[in-house]
Amino acid sequence: GYGECIPLRDRIVNSIYVFTTWNNIDDKQALIEEIKRLLAPGGYAIVSTIAKAVDIEPNIIEPRFKYIGVFIDRFYILKN
């Protein structure tokens, strides 16, 4: 399926992981909105981006995403 439209109820997911797929998402804004819709209170999302790729980062779309480090990928976390 697609991350921009996940058939689950609102605020039901405790954790969401998006690893090395961010740079392949066409509608990043829609994915961020879907992550925020699905996260339960106290839930969190971790997104990794390919460090060598030039792309918009999650914290540009949603400032609550915090950059937490880089090794091969860049990592961002959102706590609901």
Side-chain angles (χ1 to χ4, degrees):
Y2 292 94
E4 300 93 338
C5 185
I6 298 172
L8 294 173
R9 294 179 307 185
D10 294 355
R11 304 178 67 167
I12 194 169
V13 179
N14 291 320
S15 58
I16 297 172
Y17 304 97
V18 180
F19 286 107
T20 65
T21 58
W22 175 261
N23 303 89
N24 297 315
I25 302 293
D26 290 328
D27 192 344
K28 292 172 177 56
Q29 179 69 45
L31 176 63
I32 295 288
E33 293 305 316
E34 191 69 349
I35 287 171
K36 293 188 314 186
R37 181 187 74 78
L38 291 171
L39 276 180
Y44 61 90
I46 296 176
V47 173
S48 76
T49 66
I50 299 170
K52 292 182 179 181
V54 177
D55 206 344
I56 188 166
E57 299 297 327
N59 61 335
I60 301 300
I61 297 171
E62 172 54 65
R64 292 187 307 145
F65 269 98
K66 302 301 178 201
Y67 175 74
I68 57 174
V70 65
F71 181 64
I72 294 171
D73 291 348
R74 289 191 225 45
F75 289 88
Y76 297 84
I77 190 166
L78 172 83
K79 177 100 166 103
N80 199 16

Coordinates of all heavy atoms in Angstrom, one line a residue:
G1 N 0.8 -1.2 0.0 CA 0.0 0.0 0.0 C 0.9 1.2 0.0 O 2.1 1.2 -0.1
Y2 N 0.2 2.3 0.2 CA 0.9 3.6 0.2 C 0.7 4.3 1.6 O -0.3 4.2 2.2 CB 0.2 4.6 -0.9 CG 0.5 4.1 -2.3 CD1 -0.4 3.3 -2.9 CD2 1.7 4.5 -2.9 CE1 -0.1 2.9 -4.2 CE2 2.0 4.0 -4.2 CZ 1.1 3.3 -4.8 OH 1.3 2.8 -6.1
G3 N 1.8 4.9 2.0 CA 1.8 5.5 3.3 C 1.0 6.8 3.4 O 0.7 7.2 4.5
E4 N 0.6 7.3 2.3 CA -0.2 8.5 2.3 C -1.7 8.2 2.6 O -2.5 9.1 2.9 CB -0.2 9.3 1.0 CG 1.2 9.7 0.6 CD 2.0 8.7 -0.3 OE1 1.6 7.5 -0.3 OE2 2.9 9.1 -0.9
C5 N -2.1 7.0 2.6 CA -3.5 6.6 2.8 C -3.6 5.2 3.4 O -3.7 4.2 2.7 CB -4.3 6.7 1.5 SG -6.0 6.4 1.7
I6 N -3.5 5.1 4.8 CA -3.5 3.9 5.5 C -4.8 3.6 6.1 O -5.4 4.5 6.8 CB -2.4 3.9 6.5 CG1 -1.0 4.0 5.9 CG2 -2.4 2.6 7.4 CD1 0.1 4.2 6.8
P7 N -5.5 2.5 5.8 CA -6.8 2.2 6.2 C -6.9 1.8 7.7 O -7.3 0.7 8.0 CB -7.3 1.1 5.3 CG -6.1 0.4 4.9 CD -5.0 1.4 4.9
L8 N -6.6 2.7 8.6 CA -6.7 2.5 10.0 C -7.5 3.7 10.7 O -7.5 4.8 10.1 CB -5.3 2.3 10.7 CG -4.5 1.1 10.3 CD1 -3.1 1.3 10.9 CD2 -5.1 -0.2 10.7
R9 N -8.0 3.4 11.8 CA -8.7 4.5 12.6 C -7.7 5.5 13.0 O -6.5 5.3 13.2 CB -9.4 3.9 13.8 CG -10.6 3.0 13.4 CD -11.2 2.5 14.7 NE -10.1 1.9 15.5 CZ -10.3 1.2 16.6 NH1 -11.4 1.1 17.1 NH2 -9.2 0.7 17.2
D10 N -8.2 6.7 13.3 CA -7.4 7.8 13.8 C -6.8 7.4 15.2 O -7.4 6.8 16.0 CB -8.2 9.1 14.0 CG -8.7 9.6 12.7 OD1 -8.3 9.1 11.6 OD2 -9.4 10.6 12.7
R11 N -5.6 7.9 15.4 CA -4.9 7.9 16.8 C -4.9 6.5 17.4 O -5.1 6.3 18.5 CB -5.6 8.9 17.7 CG -5.6 10.3 17.1 CD -6.4 11.2 18.0 NE -5.5 11.3 19.2 CZ -5.7 12.3 20.1 NH1 -6.6 13.2 20.0 NH2 -4.9 12.3 21.2
I12 N -4.5 5.5 16.6 CA -4.5 4.1 17.0 C -3.1 3.5 17.1 O -2.9 2.5 17.7 CB -5.4 3.3 16.1 CG1 -5.7 1.9 16.8 CG2 -4.9 3.1 14.7 CD1 -6.8 1.1 16.1
V13 N -2.1 4.1 16.5 CA -0.8 3.5 16.3 C 0.2 4.1 17.3 O 0.3 5.4 17.4 CB -0.2 3.7 14.9 CG1 1.1 3.2 14.7 CG2 -1.2 3.2 13.8
N14 N 0.9 3.3 18.0 CA 1.9 3.7 19.0 C 3.2 4.1 18.4 O 3.9 5.0 19.0 CB 2.1 2.7 20.1 CG 0.9 2.5 21.0 OD1 0.2 3.5 21.3 ND2 0.6 1.3 21.3
S15 N 3.6 3.5 17.4 CA 4.9 3.9 16.7 C 4.9 3.6 15.2 O 4.2 2.7 14.8 CB 6.1 3.1 17.4 OG 5.8 1.7 17.2
I16 N 5.5 4.5 14.5 CA 5.6 4.5 13.1 C 7.0 4.6 12.7 O 7.7 5.5 13.2 CB 4.7 5.6 12.4 CG1 3.3 5.4 12.7 CG2 5.0 5.6 10.9 CD1 2.4 6.5 12.3
Y17 N 7.5 3.7 11.8 CA 8.9 3.8 11.3 C 8.9 3.9 9.8 O 8.2 3.1 9.1 CB 9.6 2.5 11.7 CG 9.6 2.2 13.2 CD1 8.7 1.3 13.7 CD2 10.5 2.8 14.1 CE1 8.6 1.0 15.1 CE2 10.5 2.5 15.4 CZ 9.5 1.7 15.9 OH 9.5 1.4 17.3
V18 N 9.6 4.9 9.3 CA 9.7 5.1 7.9 C 11.2 5.1 7.6 O 11.9 6.1 7.8 CB 9.1 6.5 7.5 CG1 9.2 6.7 6.0 CG2 7.6 6.5 7.9
F19 N 11.7 4.0 7.2 CA 13.2 3.8 7.0 C 13.5 3.8 5.5 O 13.1 3.0 4.8 CB 13.7 2.6 7.7 CG 13.8 2.7 9.1 CD1 12.9 2.1 9.9 CD2 14.7 3.5 9.7 CE1 12.9 2.2 11.3 CE2 14.8 3.7 11.1 CZ 13.9 3.0 11.9
T20 N 14.4 4.7 5.1 CA 15.0 4.8 3.8 C 13.9 4.9 2.6 O 14.3 4.6 1.5 CB 16.0 3.8 3.5 OG1 15.4 2.5 3.5 CG2 17.2 3.8 4.5
T21 N 12.7 5.2 2.9 CA 11.7 5.3 1.9 C 11.3 6.8 1.6 O 10.7 7.1 0.6 CB 10.4 4.5 2.2 OG1 9.9 4.9 3.4 CG2 10.7 3.0 2.2
W22 N 11.6 7.6 2.6 CA 11.2 9.0 2.5 C 11.5 9.7 1.2 O 10.7 10.4 0.6 CB 11.9 9.8 3.6 CG 11.7 11.3 3.6 CD1 12.5 12.2 3.1 CD2 10.5 11.9 4.1 NE1 11.9 13.5 3.2 CE2 10.7 13.3 3.8 CE3 9.3 11.5 4.7 CZ2 9.7 14.3 4.2 CZ3 8.4 12.5 5.0 CH2 8.6 13.8 4.8
N23 N 12.7 9.4 0.7 CA 13.2 10.1 -0.6 C 12.4 9.6 -1.8 O 12.5 10.2 -2.9 CB 14.7 9.9 -0.8 CG 15.4 10.4 0.4 OD1 15.6 9.7 1.4 ND2 15.8 11.7 0.4
N24 N 11.6 8.5 -1.7 CA 10.8 7.9 -2.8 C 9.4 8.3 -2.7 O 8.6 8.0 -3.6 CB 10.9 6.4 -2.8 CG 12.4 6.0 -3.1 OD1 13.0 6.5 -4.0 ND2 12.8 5.0 -2.3
I25 N 9.0 9.0 -1.6 CA 7.6 9.4 -1.4 C 7.3 10.7 -2.3 O 8.0 11.7 -2.2 CB 7.3 9.8 0.0 CG1 7.6 8.6 0.9 CG2 5.9 10.3 0.2 CD1 6.7 7.4 0.8
D26 N 6.3 10.6 -3.1 CA 5.9 11.8 -4.0 C 5.3 12.9 -3.2 O 5.6 14.0 -3.3 CB 5.0 11.3 -5.1 CG 5.7 10.5 -6.2 OD1 7.0 10.7 -6.4 OD2 5.1 9.6 -6.7
D27 N 4.3 12.5 -2.4 CA 3.5 13.5 -1.6 C 3.9 13.4 -0.1 O 3.2 12.8 0.7 CB 2.0 13.3 -1.8 CG 1.2 14.4 -1.3 OD1 1.7 15.3 -0.5 OD2 0.0 14.5 -1.6
K28 N 5.0 14.1 0.2 CA 5.6 14.0 1.5 C 4.6 14.7 2.5 O 4.5 14.2 3.7 CB 6.9 14.6 1.6 CG 8.0 13.8 0.8 CD 9.3 14.5 0.7 CE 10.4 13.6 0.1 NZ 10.0 13.1 -1.2
Q29 N 4.0 15.8 2.1 CA 3.0 16.5 3.0 C 1.9 15.5 3.4 O 1.5 15.4 4.6 CB 2.5 17.7 2.3 CG 1.4 18.5 3.2 CD 2.1 19.1 4.4 OE1 3.1 19.8 4.3 NE2 1.4 19.0 5.5
A30 N 1.4 14.8 2.5 CA 0.3 13.8 2.7 C 0.7 12.7 3.7 O 0.0 12.3 4.6 CB -0.3 13.2 1.4
L31 N 2.0 12.2 3.5 CA 2.5 11.2 4.4 C 2.6 11.8 5.9 O 2.2 11.1 6.8 CB 3.9 10.7 4.0 CG 4.6 9.7 4.9 CD1 3.7 8.5 5.0 CD2 6.0 9.4 4.4
I32 N 3.1 13.0 6.0 CA 3.2 13.6 7.3 C 1.9 13.7 8.0 O 1.7 13.4 9.2 CB 3.9 15.0 7.2 CG1 5.4 14.9 6.8 CG2 3.8 15.7 8.6 CD1 6.3 14.3 7.8
E33 N 0.9 14.2 7.2 CA -0.5 14.3 7.7 C -1.0 13.0 8.2 O -1.7 12.8 9.2 CB -1.4 15.0 6.7 CG -1.1 16.4 6.4 CD -1.0 17.3 7.7 OE1 -1.9 17.2 8.5 OE2 0.0 18.1 7.8
E34 N -0.7 11.9 7.4 CA -1.2 10.6 7.7 C -0.5 10.1 9.0 O -1.2 9.5 9.9 CB -1.0 9.6 6.6 CG -1.6 8.3 6.7 CD -3.1 8.3 6.6 OE1 -3.8 9.4 6.6 OE2 -3.7 7.2 6.5
I35 N 0.8 10.3 9.1 CA 1.5 10.0 10.4 C 0.8 10.7 11.6 O 0.6 10.0 12.6 CB 3.0 10.3 10.2 CG1 3.7 9.4 9.3 CG2 3.6 10.3 11.6 CD1 5.1 9.8 8.9
K36 N 0.6 11.9 11.5 CA 0.0 12.7 12.6 C -1.4 12.2 12.9 O -1.8 12.1 14.1 CB -0.1 14.2 12.3 CG 1.3 14.8 12.2 CD 1.4 16.3 12.1 CE 0.5 16.9 11.1 NZ 0.7 18.4 11.0
R37 N -2.2 11.8 11.9 CA -3.5 11.3 12.1 C -3.5 9.9 12.8 O -4.3 9.7 13.7 CB -4.2 11.1 10.7 CG -5.7 10.6 10.8 CD -6.3 10.3 9.5 NE -5.7 9.1 8.9 CZ -6.1 7.8 9.2 NH1 -7.0 7.6 10.1 NH2 -5.6 6.8 8.6
L38 N -2.6 9.1 12.5 CA -2.5 7.7 13.0 C -1.9 7.6 14.4 O -2.3 6.8 15.2 CB -1.7 6.8 12.1 CG -2.4 6.5 10.7 CD1 -1.4 5.8 9.8 CD2 -3.6 5.7 10.9
L39 N -1.0 8.6 14.8 CA -0.3 8.4 16.0 C -1.2 8.6 17.2 O -2.0 9.6 17.3 CB 0.8 9.5 16.1 CG 2.1 9.1 15.5 CD1 3.1 10.2 15.7 CD2 2.7 7.8 16.0
A40 N -1.2 7.6 18.1 CA -1.9 7.7 19.4 C -1.2 8.7 20.3 O 0.0 9.0 20.1 CB -1.9 6.3 20.0
P41 N -2.0 9.2 21.3 CA -1.3 10.1 22.3 C -0.1 9.4 22.9 O -0.2 8.2 23.3 CB -2.4 10.4 23.3 CG -3.7 10.2 22.5 CD -3.4 9.1 21.5
G42 N 1.0 10.1 22.9 CA 2.2 9.5 23.5 C 3.0 8.6 22.5 O 4.1 8.2 22.8
G43 N 2.4 8.5 21.3 CA 3.1 7.7 20.2 C 4.2 8.5 19.6 O 4.4 9.7 19.8
Y44 N 5.0 7.8 18.8 CA 6.1 8.5 18.1 C 6.3 7.9 16.7 O 6.0 6.8 16.4 CB 7.4 8.4 19.0 CG 7.9 7.0 19.2 CD1 8.8 6.4 18.3 CD2 7.5 6.3 20.3 CE1 9.2 5.1 18.5 CE2 7.9 5.0 20.5 CZ 8.8 4.4 19.6 OH 9.2 3.1 19.8
A45 N 7.0 8.7 15.9 CA 7.3 8.3 14.5 C 8.8 8.6 14.4 O 9.3 9.6 14.8 CB 6.5 9.1 13.5
I46 N 9.5 7.7 13.7 CA 10.9 7.9 13.3 C 11.0 7.8 11.8 O 10.4 6.8 11.2 CB 11.8 6.8 14.0 CG1 11.8 7.0 15.5 CG2 13.2 6.9 13.5 CD1 12.5 5.9 16.2
V47 N 11.6 8.8 11.2 CA 11.8 8.8 9.8 C 13.3 8.9 9.5 O 13.9 9.8 10.1 CB 11.0 10.0 9.2 CG1 11.3 10.2 7.7 CG2 9.5 10.0 9.4
S48 N 13.7 8.1 8.6 CA 15.1 8.2 8.1 C 15.1 8.7 6.7 O 14.2 8.3 5.9 CB 15.9 6.9 8.3 OG 15.6 6.0 7.3
T49 N 16.1 9.5 6.4 CA 16.2 10.0 5.0 C 17.6 9.6 4.5 O 18.5 9.5 5.3 CB 16.0 11.5 4.9 OG1 17.1 12.2 5.6 CG2 14.7 11.9 5.5
I50 N 17.8 9.4 3.3 CA 19.1 9.1 2.7 C 20.0 10.4 2.7 O 19.6 11.4 2.1 CB 19.0 8.5 1.3 CG1 18.1 7.3 1.3 CG2 20.3 8.3 0.7 CD1 17.7 6.8 0.0
A51 N 21.0 10.3 3.5 CA 21.9 11.5 3.7 C 22.4 12.1 2.5 O 22.6 13.3 2.4 CB 23.0 11.2 4.7
K52 N 22.8 11.3 1.5 CA 23.4 11.8 0.3 C 22.4 12.3 -0.7 O 22.8 13.0 -1.7 CB 24.2 10.7 -0.4 CG 25.4 10.2 0.4 CD 26.2 9.2 -0.4 CE 27.4 8.8 0.5 NZ 28.2 7.8 -0.2
A53 N 21.1 12.1 -0.5 CA 20.0 12.6 -1.4 C 19.7 14.0 -1.1 O 19.7 14.4 0.1 CB 18.8 11.7 -1.3
V54 N 19.4 14.8 -2.1 CA 19.0 16.2 -1.9 C 17.5 16.2 -2.0 O 16.9 15.8 -3.0 CB 19.6 17.1 -3.0 CG1 19.0 18.5 -2.8 CG2 21.1 17.1 -3.0
D55 N 16.8 16.5 -0.9 CA 15.4 16.4 -0.8 C 14.9 17.2 0.4 O 15.7 17.6 1.3 CB 15.0 14.9 -0.5 CG 13.6 14.6 -1.0 OD1 12.8 15.5 -1.3 OD2 13.3 13.4 -1.2
I56 N 13.6 17.5 0.5 CA 13.1 18.2 1.6 C 13.0 17.3 2.8 O 12.7 16.1 2.7 CB 11.7 18.8 1.3 CG1 11.2 19.7 2.4 CG2 10.7 17.7 0.9 CD1 10.0 20.6 2.0
E57 N 13.4 17.8 3.9 CA 13.5 16.9 5.1 C 12.1 17.0 5.9 O 11.4 18.0 5.8 CB 14.6 17.4 6.0 CG 16.0 17.2 5.3 CD 16.4 15.8 5.0 OE1 16.0 14.9 5.7 OE2 17.1 15.6 4.0
P58 N 11.8 16.0 6.7 CA 10.5 16.0 7.4 C 10.3 17.2 8.3 O 9.2 17.7 8.5 CB 10.6 14.7 8.3 CG 11.7 13.9 7.7 CD 12.6 14.8 7.0
N59 N 11.4 17.7 9.0 CA 11.2 18.9 9.9 C 10.9 20.2 9.2 O 10.5 21.1 9.8 CB 12.5 19.0 10.8 CG 13.7 19.2 10.0 OD1 13.9 18.9 8.9 ND2 14.7 19.8 10.7
I60 N 11.1 20.2 7.9 CA 10.7 21.4 7.1 C 9.2 21.4 6.9 O 8.6 22.4 7.0 CB 11.4 21.4 5.7 CG1 13.0 21.4 5.9 CG2 11.0 22.6 4.9 CD1 13.5 22.6 6.6
I61 N 8.6 20.2 6.7 CA 7.2 20.1 6.5 C 6.5 20.2 7.9 O 5.4 20.9 8.0 CB 6.8 18.8 5.8 CG1 7.4 18.8 4.4 CG2 5.3 18.6 5.8 CD1 7.3 17.4 3.7
E62 N 7.0 19.5 8.9 CA 6.4 19.5 10.2 C 7.5 19.8 11.2 O 8.3 18.9 11.6 CB 5.8 18.1 10.5 CG 5.3 17.9 11.9 CD 4.3 19.0 12.4 OE1 3.2 19.1 11.9 OE2 4.7 19.7 13.4
P63 N 7.5 21.0 11.8 CA 8.6 21.4 12.7 C 8.7 20.6 14.0 O 9.8 20.6 14.6 CB 8.3 22.9 13.0 CG 7.4 23.3 11.9 CD 6.7 22.1 11.4
R64 N 7.7 19.9 14.3 CA 7.8 19.0 15.5 C 8.7 17.8 15.3 O 9.1 17.2 16.3 CB 6.4 18.6 16.0 CG 5.5 19.7 16.5 CD 4.2 19.2 17.1 NE 3.5 18.4 16.1 CZ 2.7 17.3 16.5 NH1 2.6 17.0 17.8 NH2 2.1 16.6 15.6
F65 N 9.0 17.5 14.1 CA 10.0 16.5 13.8 C 11.4 17.0 14.3 O 11.8 18.1 13.8 CB 10.1 16.1 12.4 CG 9.2 14.9 12.0 CD1 8.0 15.1 11.4 CD2 9.6 13.6 12.3 CE1 7.2 14.1 11.1 CE2 8.8 12.6 11.9 CZ 7.6 12.8 11.3
K66 N 12.1 16.3 15.1 CA 13.4 16.7 15.6 C 14.5 15.9 15.0 O 14.4 14.6 15.0 CB 13.4 16.6 17.1 CG 12.4 17.4 17.9 CD 12.5 18.9 17.6 CE 11.4 19.6 18.3 NZ 11.1 20.9 17.7
Y67 N 15.5 16.5 14.5 CA 16.6 15.8 13.9 C 17.4 15.2 15.1 O 17.7 15.9 16.1 CB 17.5 16.9 13.2 CG 18.8 16.3 12.7 CD1 18.8 15.5 11.6 CD2 20.0 16.6 13.3 CE1 20.0 15.0 11.1 CE2 21.2 16.1 12.8 CZ 21.2 15.3 11.7 OH 22.4 14.8 11.2
I68 N 17.7 13.9 15.0 CA 18.4 13.2 16.1 C 19.7 12.7 15.7 O 20.4 12.1 16.6 CB 17.5 12.1 16.7 CG1 17.0 11.1 15.7 CG2 16.3 12.7 17.4 CD1 16.3 9.9 16.3
G69 N 20.2 12.7 14.5 CA 21.5 12.3 14.1 C 21.6 11.7 12.7 O 20.7 11.6 12.0
V70 N 22.9 11.5 12.4 CA 23.2 10.9 11.1 C 24.3 9.9 11.2 O 25.2 10.0 12.0 CB 23.6 12.0 10.1 CG1 24.8 12.7 10.4 CG2 23.7 11.5 8.6
F71 N 24.2 8.8 10.5 CA 25.3 7.9 10.3 C 25.4 7.7 8.8 O 26.1 8.4 8.1 CB 25.0 6.6 11.0 CG 26.1 5.6 10.9 CD1 27.4 5.9 11.4 CD2 26.0 4.4 10.2 CE1 28.5 5.0 11.2 CE2 27.0 3.5 10.0 CZ 28.3 3.8 10.5
I72 N 24.6 6.8 8.2 CA 24.5 6.7 6.8 C 23.2 7.5 6.3 O 23.2 8.2 5.3 CB 24.4 5.2 6.3 CG1 25.7 4.5 6.6 CG2 24.0 5.1 4.8 CD1 25.7 3.1 6.4
D73 N 22.1 7.3 7.1 CA 20.9 8.1 6.9 C 20.8 9.2 8.0 O 21.4 9.1 9.0 CB 19.7 7.1 7.1 CG 19.6 6.1 6.0 OD1 20.3 6.2 5.0 OD2 18.8 5.2 6.1
R74 N 19.9 10.2 7.7 CA 19.6 11.2 8.7 C 18.3 10.6 9.4 O 17.4 10.1 8.8 CB 19.3 12.5 8.1 CG 20.5 13.2 7.5 CD 20.0 14.6 7.1 NE 20.4 15.2 5.9 CZ 20.4 14.8 4.7 NH1 20.0 13.7 4.4 NH2 20.7 15.5 3.7
F75 N 18.2 10.9 10.7 CA 17.1 10.4 11.5 C 16.4 11.5 12.2 O 17.0 12.5 12.7 CB 17.5 9.4 12.6 CG 18.0 8.1 12.0 CD1 19.3 7.9 11.6 CD2 17.1 7.1 11.8 CE1 19.7 6.7 11.1 CE2 17.4 5.8 11.3 CZ 18.8 5.7 10.9
Y76 N 15.0 11.4 12.1 CA 14.1 12.4 12.7 C 13.1 11.7 13.6 O 12.7 10.6 13.2 CB 13.4 13.2 11.6 CG 14.3 14.0 10.7 CD1 15.0 13.4 9.7 CD2 14.6 15.4 11.0 CE1 15.8 14.1 8.9 CE2 15.5 16.1 10.2 CZ 16.1 15.5 9.1 OH 16.9 16.2 8.3
I77 N 12.7 12.4 14.7 CA 11.7 11.8 15.5 C 10.6 12.8 15.8 O 10.8 14.0 15.9 CB 12.3 11.2 16.8 CG1 11.3 10.4 17.6 CG2 12.8 12.4 17.7 CD1 11.9 9.6 18.7
L78 N 9.3 12.3 15.9 CA 8.2 13.1 16.2 C 7.5 12.4 17.4 O 7.2 11.2 17.3 CB 7.2 13.2 15.0 CG 5.8 13.8 15.3 CD1 6.0 15.3 15.3 CD2 4.8 13.3 14.4
K79 N 7.3 13.1 18.5 CA 6.6 12.6 19.6 C 5.3 13.2 19.7 O 5.2 14.5 19.6 CB 7.4 12.8 20.9 CG 6.7 12.4 22.2 CD 7.3 11.1 22.6 CE 6.9 10.8 24.1 NZ 5.8 9.9 24.2
N80 N 4.2 12.4 19.8 CA 2.8 13.0 19.8 C 2.4 13.3 21.2 O 2.8 12.7 22.1 CB 1.9 12.0 19.2 CG 0.6 12.6 18.8 OD1 0.5 13.8 18.6 ND2 -0.4 11.8 18.5

